[in-house]
């Protein structure tokens, strides 16, 4: 079952990102495009507290409350999530269309993140007031260094997202969930200072419209699998920083295999603990008859490590270190990126998926309002995640009968979850399976030198089952697969460690050393050598994927380093056409701001002229009139009052007339109203009164500053 959760802000909302900046002490969470969002992890935590509060109000015993919390949200500290609820980020309504139209018009200035952030948020300043008796504080006066600047989401904004269940809820459970949602009336930081009033609603969504048919054919020896991220996805990869979880930039075959196995178990109604007893499951996932390949972004591959660029001279071409002249003492470094090679050009830009870093904190006791100041178990960490809306494509191949059993169970399209924190905020993917036809027959390679490049880690186990990532071990495997006598002449290799997680045992395997993806080996092959796609051990899990390319020692490569389109020119002035009402309002606000900026520039330019006899006290007096003015009539009434015979404002009127800021009028319409003067023409033609008001406020503010700098204040 799935529901749509809607949250509407009724006051300023600060869903803190945990980070700030030079000018902002506490900031809200933003999508990469600049639109605010409510992270799923926050929704999960707030609903958990709300459910606990609802049950306490109903007088439920503590044991029942704890059981319900565990049933809905899982048990903290468990390696796997066993709760009934799955949470998604709350985004603006019609988010899919918004994201597409903004991406399609990303070079237009109105759709730049800074303007979008300013449109949806406001900046609030607060200070702490001193109390009597406190050392170093003065009662009623702001404490030293207590000024804080918060960026908050404006009231009246709506956010919505999916709330899914792993199995249908009973009527009692659904009632309890809806009560918890209705009870959720405050969110975010500084709820006791007027922030964070929200209104939440929960509605059941329509039936899933994804394709439910099995793949046509069913006897294919090869499947193309496309994994499209529906939310950020964290494919954990430790790279040194203990407080940061980085993500792998491709989806490994082992992860594809696990995702497919979970989907197979759910579809067939198997128990995860004894799924291996099912003969079909065993044949597809455990027998080794089916190989699950890596899924790469934009069909990219790992650039071979033997291809180097000159470190100090970027204009020199990329060369192979296998052919580098020993007399060349210049320092080179491996290109070592994901990309594609077309002809003699290496393309990197656009072939590495986009990622985002998010800040999180953890605490075992999540009771509402509880201070964590002295909680030693509180932790902070960062997640790097693959952005949503990115497609990764791979291949499943092997025995035609085993592949057919997989396709006879799984639908051609279904939703799944993978990676870290997949119960909340991360891990939602859309899986699409396409019949790839018969597996290609093996091709033969002509005699000559070839470079073998790893597209995934290569695991080599010796006769005792111990990992042995050495050139000697590689030559033994090559001799078995390609024929005896094959020697590795040169190698440009790196090492990594791979590990696996057994969901049944709830434990990770030991870290196994292996050759790293991108490692390349130069070897001489005899005539009619059969080409290989996989090599080594654990190939059914995506390890050991290799490619062979003829070695061309005299060929150099050009490295294409053109910037992404979004880093290019932002000079697009053509107003985009959008169908989303919210984006239409955003464009309207941008045009208004653009017009107001033009008005302000004209006012600043006009204020540079000399205006004799205009002192700052008079400037402040006139400026306050425009600050209070709500219409042109209000300004005209003030001018009439200046010229009354009993008015003390006559000197001011004379000074304004003498300076040229006010002009006497002879217009009959004005005289009938008793208006003897009006403000000078702005030079911008016909303007709405709001723009006229902005013009004169800016004019007088600039004139005041000019007087001060000239010593005429």
């Amino acid at each position: 079952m799935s529901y749509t959760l809607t949250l509407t802000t009724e006051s300023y909302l600060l869903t803190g990102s945990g980070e700030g900046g030079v000018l902002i002490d506490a900031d809200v969470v933003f999508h990469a495009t600049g639109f605010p969002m409510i992270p799923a992890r926050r929704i999960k935590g707030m609903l958990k507290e709300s459910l606990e509060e609802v049950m306490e109000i109903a007088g439920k015993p503590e044991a029942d409350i704890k059981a319900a919390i565990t049933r809905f949200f899982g048990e903290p500290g468990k390696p796997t999530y066993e709760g009934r609820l799955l949470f998604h980020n709350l985004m603006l309504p019609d988010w899919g269309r918004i994201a597409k139209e903004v991406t399609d018009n990303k070079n237009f200035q109105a759709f730049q993140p800074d303007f979008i952030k300013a449109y949806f948020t406001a900046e609030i300043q607060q200070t702490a007031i001193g109390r009597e008796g406190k050392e170093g504080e003065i009662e009623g006066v702001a404490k030293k260094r207590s000024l804080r600047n918060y960026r908050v989401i404006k009231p009246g904004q709506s956010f919505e997202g999916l709330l899914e269940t792993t199995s249908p809820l009973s009527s009692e459970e659904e009632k309890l969930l809806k009560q918890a949602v209705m009870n959720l009336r405050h969110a975010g930081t500084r709820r006791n200072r007027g922030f964070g009033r929200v209104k939440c609603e929960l509605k059941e969504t329509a039936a899933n419209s994804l394709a439910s048919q099995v793949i046509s054919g069913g006897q294919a020896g090869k499947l193309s699998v496309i994994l499209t991220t529906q939310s950020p996805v964290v494919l954990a990869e430790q790279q040194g920083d203990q407080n940061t979880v980085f993500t792998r930039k491709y989806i490994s075959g082992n992860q594809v295999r696990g995702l497919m196995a979970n989907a197979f178990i759910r579809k067939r109604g198997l128990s995860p603990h004894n799924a291996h007893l099912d003969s079909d499951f065993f044949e597809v996932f455990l027998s080794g008859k089916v190989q699950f390949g890596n899924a790469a972004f934009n069909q990219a591959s790992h650039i071979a490590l033997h291809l180097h660029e000159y470190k100090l001279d970027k204009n020199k071409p990329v060369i192979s270190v296998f052919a580098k002249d020993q007399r060349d003492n210049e320092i080179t470094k491996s290109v070592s990126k994901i990309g594609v090679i077309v002809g003699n050009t290496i393309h990197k830009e656009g072939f590495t998926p986009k990622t985002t870093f998010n800040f999180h904190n953890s605490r075992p006791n999540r009771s509402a309002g509880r201070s964590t100041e002295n909680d030693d178990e509180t932790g902070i960490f960062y997640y790097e995640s693959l952005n949503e809306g990115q497609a990764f494509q791979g291949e499943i191949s092997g025995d035609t009968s085993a592949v057919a059993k997989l396709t006879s169970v799984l639908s051609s399209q279904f939703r799944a979850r993978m990676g870290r924190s997949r119960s909340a905020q991360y891990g939602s993917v859309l899986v699409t399976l396409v019949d790839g036809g018969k597996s290609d027959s093996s091709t033969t390679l002509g005699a000559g030198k070839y470079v073998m490049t790893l597209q995934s880690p290569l695991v080599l186990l010796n006769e005792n089952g111990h990992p042995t990532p050495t050139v000697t071990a590689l030559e033994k495997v090559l001799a078995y697969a390609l024929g005896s006598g094959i020697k590795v002449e040169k190698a440009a290799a790196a090492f990594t460690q791979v590990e696996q997680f057994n969901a049944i045992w709830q434990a990770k395997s030991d870290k196994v050393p292996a050759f790293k993806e991108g490692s390349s080996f130069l070897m001489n092959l005899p005539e009619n050598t059969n080409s290989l796609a996989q090599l080594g051990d654990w190939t059914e899990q995506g390890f050991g994927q290799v490619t062979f390319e003829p070695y061309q020692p005299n060929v150099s490569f050009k490295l294409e380093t053109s910037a992404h389109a979004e880093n290019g020119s932002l000079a697009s002035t053509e107003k985009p056409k959008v169908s989303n009402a919210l984006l239409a309002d955003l464009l309207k606000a941008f045009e208004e701001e653009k017009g107001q900026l033009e008005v302000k520039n004209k006012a600043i330019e006009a204020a540079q002229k000399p205006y004799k006899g205009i002192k700052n006290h008079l400037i402040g007096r006139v400026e306050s009139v425009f600050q209070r003015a709500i219409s042109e009539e209000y300004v005209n009434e003030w001018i009439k009052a200046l010229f009354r015979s009993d008015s003390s404002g006559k000197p001011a009127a004379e000074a304004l007339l003498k300076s040229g800021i006010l002009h006497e009028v002879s217009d009959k319409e004005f005289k009938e109203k008793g208006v003897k003067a009006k403000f000078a023409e702005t030079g911008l033609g016909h303007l709405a009164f709001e723009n006229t008001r902005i013009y004169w406020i800016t004019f007088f503010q600039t004139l005041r500053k000019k007087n001060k700098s000239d010593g005429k204040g």
Side-chain angles (χ1 to χ4, degrees), residues 320-596:
S320 169
V321 291
F322 294 155
K324 186 180 179 183
D325 193 326
Q326 293 183 353
R327 293 168 296 180
D328 185 355
N329 295 321
E330 290 191 57
I331 301 173
T332 61
K333 64 176 183 178
S334 173
V335 174
S336 64
K337 296 289 182 181
I338 296 174
V340 296
I341 299 178
V342 180
N344 294 340
T345 303
I346 301 173
H347 298 269
K348 293 196 301 182
E349 301 296 338
F351 293 96
T352 301
K354 297 176 184 176
T355 63
T356 301
F357 280 92
N358 287 308
F359 173 85
H360 298 290
N361 60 58
S362 62
R363 52 190 172 102
N365 189 336
R366 301 188 62 86
S367 300
R370 179 179 179 272
S371 171
T372 60
E373 184 176 352
N374 300 314
D375 193 341
D376 295 334
E377 297 184 41
T378 298
I380 61 173
F381 57 96
Y382 285 87
Y383 269 170
E384 182 191 24
S385 59
L386 300 169
N387 290 359
E388 77 277 9
Q390 301 184 107
F392 296 78
Q393 185 168 350
E395 186 177 279
I396 300 173
S397 60
D399 180 81
T400 55
S401 174
V403 174
K405 288 180 179 179
L406 176 67
T407 60
S408 67
V409 174
L410 298 182
S411 302
S412 60
Q413 197 173 67
F414 59 92
R415 286 194 178 94
R417 300 182 81 88
M418 65 186 305
R420 285 277 187 95
S421 295
R422 53 184 177 269
S423 67
Q425 189 163 340
Y426 300 103
S428 179
V429 295
L430 178 66
V431 183
T432 304
L433 299 176
V434 180
D435 194 335
K438 295 288 185 181
S439 294
D440 296 333
S441 58
S442 61
T443 58
T444 57
L445 303 173
K449 290 188 176 183
Y450 287 82
V451 175
M452 184 183 76
T453 302
L454 304 184
Q455 294 304 320
S456 63
L458 174 61
V459 178
L460 299 173
L461 304 179
N462 62 21
E463 59 272 14
N464 297 317
H466 295 296
T468 312
T470 64
V471 171
T472 302
L474 174 59
E475 287 177 340
K476 289 182 179 180
V477 173
L478 288 170
Y480 176 79
L482 300 178
S484 60
I486 296 176
K487 298 292 183 181
V488 175
E489 297 183 5
K490 293 182 180 181
F495 298 94
T496 187
Q497 291 183 323
V498 298
E499 61 182 359
Q500 297 168 307
F501 180 80
N502 190 305
I504 305 302
W505 292 350
Q506 299 294 298
K508 291 182 179 179
S509 69
D510 291 335
K511 291 184 177 180
V512 176
F515 282 117
K516 190 176 182 180
E517 59 272 19
S519 296
S520 48
F521 306 88
L522 177 63
M523 60 192 69
N524 195 19
L525 299 181
E527 188 72 35
N528 297 326
T529 302
N530 289 329
S531 178
L532 291 175
Q534 292 176 307
L535 189 70
D537 295 279
W538 300 353
T539 56
E540 74 281 0
Q541 302 173 42
F543 293 104
Q545 293 187 1
V546 298
T547 58
F548 285 87
E549 294 291 339
Y551 175 53
Q552 299 173 297
N554 299 321
V555 174
S556 58
F557 296 85
K558 176 185 176 184
L559 183 61
E560 181 60 55
T561 57
S562 59
H564 283 295
E566 58 264 31
N567 294 331
S569 173
L570 300 180
S572 176
T573 56
E574 184 178 352
K575 187 175 179 180
K577 295 180 180 180
V578 296
S579 58
N580 180 271
L582 188 146
L583 290 184
D585 291 341
L586 182 69
L587 288 175
K588 182 180 178 182
F590 175 77
E591 293 298 327
E592 290 177 353
E593 184 171 303
K594 186 178 178 182
Q596 290 176 2

Side-chain angles (χ1 to χ4, degrees), residues 605-620:
E605 182 182 346
Q608 303 308 313
K609 299 176 183 178
Y611 292 94
K612 296 181 179 180
I614 303 297
K615 300 294 183 181
N616 276 356
H617 71 276
L618 177 57
I619 291 173

Side-chain angles (χ1 to χ4, degrees), residues 128-143 193:
I129 304 300
R131 292 180 292 174
E132 187 178 5
K134 287 283 186 177
E135 185 177 352
E137 297 181 12
I138 303 174
E139 184 178 7
V141 177
K143 295 180 185 178
R193 295 294 187 272

Side-chain angles (χ1 to χ4, degrees), residues 27 40 90 104 203 225 232 254 284 332 339 444 520 536 579 670 689 693:
D27 211 343
L90 299 192
D104 291 344
K203 295 181 180 179
V225 55
N254 192 31
V284 174
T332 61
T444 57
S520 48
S579 58
F670 274 86
F689 176 74
R693 192 176 78 89

